[in-house]
């Protein structure tokens, strides 16, 4: 009597693309629930809190602006619902860029697993930084920030915002909050999660701080400056992955990185240390959103200075390590045996980076290949 053998076939494993698309579909359905809620009178009042900006006020037209009234906004607790909805939108856009752009490039380039994850990271961040930088620059030009820098501290507190200004901050908070579930969707390695949480937390801390303390003018300028430098880093890394001979972009990024840190400190000290310190109204008033007191100014400057010093410390350590390795690679090797050995030279490329801020493992910019030993 024949004995049937048990099947040893392993269960089918879902691919990463399928899992990512499945989560994107679920998020899309949740977002559609809020949009469909606008169509019915019973649910419209609840859905509108998630979809549209809240806390708007209408200022009557003045003699200087007699054409139309001004519609301005301030912040409140209902903004959390709006941030949640646009966090769902950010997850959907993230999945669309991943599936229809980055995954197609990855299939053609045949990257390794490490390069694959870093290419996806730089692809997503470069798109976000470019969009935010262009959007922020448009707001700066339309509200005359460039022609009149004193607007950074003049007439503080800046508790009333235009539609573009408030929507910009809501979108920024939504994007960086969406980065938390993306750690699960992208199946991030456990050893990479701590560094991801650090820079996501730093972004949320500074953006939310500028938003809640009514320093939105200063925060917008610093974000545009920082995003431009970060965009240059990630776009240079994308070009490096396609052609490893491309390294000029990293040299330009290194110069602009240092200048960006200096400009950030100068603008912060000029606005908080001099502009707000000389203002007449220096009383803490939660009703009007005035936080122009000495303790708050010191805390703001301290947080900015510590963050910039931390980024420069990482950057300097990486550059010193890179120069040492470059000098050892260029040093002549001493031949101990006449025998000839063949082997592949070890090579490490730019496959690590935290938003353009170099990490302590020293793998954020390209290294020269080792010469083949003979």
């Amino acid at each position: 009597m024949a004995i049937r053998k048990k099947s040893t076939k392993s269960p089918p494993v879902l691919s990463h693309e399928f899992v990512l698309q499945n989560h994107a579909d679920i998020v899309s359905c949740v977002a559609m629930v809020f949009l469909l809620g606008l169509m019915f009178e019973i649910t419209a009042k609840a859905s509108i809190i998630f979809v549209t900006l809240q806390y708007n006020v209408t200022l009557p037209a003045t003699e200087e602006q007699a054409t139309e009234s001004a519609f301005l906004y301030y912040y409140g607790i209902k903004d959390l619902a709006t941030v949640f909805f646009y966090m769902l939108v950010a997850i959907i856009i993230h999945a669309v860029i991943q599936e229809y752009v980055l995954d197609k490039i990855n299939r053609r380039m045949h990257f390794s697993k490490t390069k694959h994850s870093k290419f996806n990271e730089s692809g997503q961040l470069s798109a976000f930084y470019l969009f935010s930088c262009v959007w922020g620059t448009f707001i700066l030009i339309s509200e005359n920030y460039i022609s009149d820098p004193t607007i950074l501290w003049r007439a503080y507190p800046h508790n009333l915002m235009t539609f573009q200004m408030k929507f910009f901050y809501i979108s920024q908070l939504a994007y960086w909050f969406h980065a938390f579930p993306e750690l699960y969707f992208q199946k991030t390695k456990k050893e990479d999660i701590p560094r991801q949480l650090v820079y996501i937390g730093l972004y949320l801390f500074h953006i939310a701080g500028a938003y809640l303390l009514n320093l939105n003018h200063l925060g917008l300028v610093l974000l545009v400056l920082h995003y431009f430098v970060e965009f240059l880093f990630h776009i240079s890394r994308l070009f490096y992955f396609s052609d490893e001979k491309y390294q000029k972009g990293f040299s330009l990024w290194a110069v602009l990185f240092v200048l960006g840190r200096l400009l950030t400190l100068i603008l912060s000290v000029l606005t908080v240390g001099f502009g707000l310190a000389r203002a007449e109204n220096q009383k803490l008033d939660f009703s009007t959103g005035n936080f122009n007191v000495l303790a708050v100014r010191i805390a703001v400057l301290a947080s900015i200075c510590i963050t910039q010093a931390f980024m420069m410390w990482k950057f300097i350590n990486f550059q010193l390590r890179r120069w040492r390795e470059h000098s050892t690679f260029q040093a002549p090797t001493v031949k101990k045996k006449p025998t000839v050995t063949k082997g592949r030279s070890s090579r490490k490329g730019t496959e690590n980076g935290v938003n353009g801020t170099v990490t302590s493992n020293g793998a954020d910019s390209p290294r020269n290949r080792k010469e083949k030993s003979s």
Side-chain angles (χ1 to χ4, degrees):
M1 184 176 180
I3 301 176
R4 295 181 180 179
K5 294 183 179 180
K6 293 183 179 180
S7 175
T8 58
K9 292 182 179 180
S10 58
V13 180
L14 298 178
S15 63
H16 171 67
E17 290 80 4
F18 177 80
V19 174
L20 184 62
Q21 184 62 35
N22 189 26
H23 285 95
D25 292 339
I26 296 175
V27 173
S28 301
C29 293
V30 176
M32 285 300 298
V33 170
F34 293 108
L35 294 177
L36 292 175
L38 297 174
M39 301 174 61
F40 304 98
E41 185 178 357
I42 300 176
T43 58
K45 292 183 179 179
S47 297
I48 202 171
I49 298 176
F50 291 87
V51 179
T52 62
L53 300 183
Q54 303 298 308
Y55 305 106
N56 60 320
V57 294
T58 304
L59 298 182
T62 59
E63 296 180 357
E64 298 178 355
Q65 299 177 350
T67 56
E68 57 182 6
S69 301
F71 297 94
L72 300 178
Y73 296 82
Y74 58 98
Y75 68 81
I77 192 64
K78 294 181 181 179
D79 290 341
L80 294 176
T82 312
V83 170
F84 175 77
F85 174 78
Y86 286 99
M87 181 189 71
L88 301 179
V89 175
I91 294 175
I92 297 172
I93 296 175
H94 187 114
V96 170
I97 296 175
Q98 184 67 45
E99 181 179 1
Y100 293 101
V101 180
L102 299 179
D103 286 343
K104 291 183 178 180
I105 298 176
N106 282 323
R107 295 189 190 99
R108 294 181 180 179
M109 301 301 294
H110 302 288
F111 290 132
S112 61
K113 290 184 178 180
T114 307
K115 278 190 175 181
H116 183 275
S117 61
K118 297 306 173 184
F119 181 85
N120 290 338
E121 180 185 9
S122 290
Q124 294 285 351
L125 289 175
S126 59
F128 168 72
Y129 288 143
L130 177 61
F131 175 77
S132 299
C133 192
V134 173
W135 188 7
T137 304
F138 172 78
I139 299 175
L140 293 178
I141 295 174
S142 62
E143 298 190 11
N144 299 324
Y145 282 68
I146 299 177
S147 60
D148 187 11
T150 59
I151 200 173
L152 294 177
W153 62 83
R154 192 180 60 201
Y156 180 85
H158 307 137
N159 52 352
L160 295 179
M161 298 170 281
T162 61
F163 175 84
Q164 291 289 342
M165 177 73 78
K166 180 166 183 176
F167 195 32
F168 179 83
Y169 272 94
I170 291 294
S171 301
Q172 295 298 312
L173 293 172
Y175 181 86
W176 291 111
F177 272 117
H178 112 282
F180 288 115
E182 285 297 339
L183 295 177
Y184 171 74
F185 296 156
Q186 298 291 335
K187 294 185 177 180
T188 306
K189 296 180 181 179
K190 291 183 179 180
E191 57 270 19
D192 292 337
I193 291 179
R195 72 173 181 87
Q196 296 276 356
L197 293 177
V198 167
Y199 82 78
I200 294 172
L202 286 175
Y203 272 108
L204 288 174
F205 174 76
H206 288 89
I207 294 173
Y211 186 66
L212 297 176
L213 295 177
N214 291 318
L215 293 171
N216 41 67
H217 293 182
L218 176 63
L220 176 63
V221 175
L222 297 184
L223 277 178
V224 171
L225 177 63
H226 179 74
Y227 282 170
F228 176 74
V229 178
E230 298 302 289
F231 168 74
L232 181 61
F233 170 80
H234 286 284
I235 201 67
S236 299
R237 194 162 72 166
L238 292 177
F239 280 114
Y240 176 77
F241 283 145
S242 61
D243 184 5
E244 294 184 354
K245 294 181 180 179
Y246 180 84
Q247 300 183 8
K248 295 181 180 179
F250 291 102
S251 301
L252 178 61
W253 163 76
V255 176
L256 293 180
F257 181 85
V258 177
L259 293 178
R261 307 286 73 77
L262 292 176
L263 286 176
T264 299
L265 291 175
I266 292 173
L267 290 175
S268 302
V269 173
L270 182 64
T271 302
V272 181
F274 291 93
L276 295 180
R278 297 180 179 180
E280 296 180 0
N281 188 6
Q282 296 190 17
K283 294 181 180 179
L284 184 64
D285 189 355
F286 292 99
S287 61
T288 60
N290 185 12
F291 300 95
N292 186 17
V293 294
L294 180 61
V296 175
R297 293 199 301 269
I298 292 176
V300 170
L301 285 178
S303 63
I304 294 176
C305 292
I306 291 173
T307 303
Q308 303 307 308
F310 174 76
M311 296 169 67
M312 281 301 302
W313 177 69
K314 292 282 188 180
F315 178 79
I316 293 173
N317 284 341
F318 164 72
Q319 292 295 340
L320 291 176
R321 188 182 298 108
R322 183 185 174 190
W323 290 336
R324 291 195 209 100
E325 293 175 354
H326 180 73
S327 61
T328 55
F329 293 158
Q330 296 297 330
T333 57
V334 181
K335 297 182 179 180
K336 295 182 179 181
K337 295 182 180 180
T339 58
V340 179
T341 59
K342 294 182 180 181
R344 295 182 179 179
S345 58
S346 61
R347 175 167 59 93
K348 293 182 179 179
T350 54
E351 297 180 359
N352 254 332
V354 182
N355 266 2
T357 326
V358 290
T359 53
S360 58
N361 56 11
D364 284 327
S365 64
R367 301 179 182 172
N368 298 327
R369 297 183 178 181
K370 295 182 179 178
E371 300 178 354
K372 293 183 178 180
S373 59
S374 58

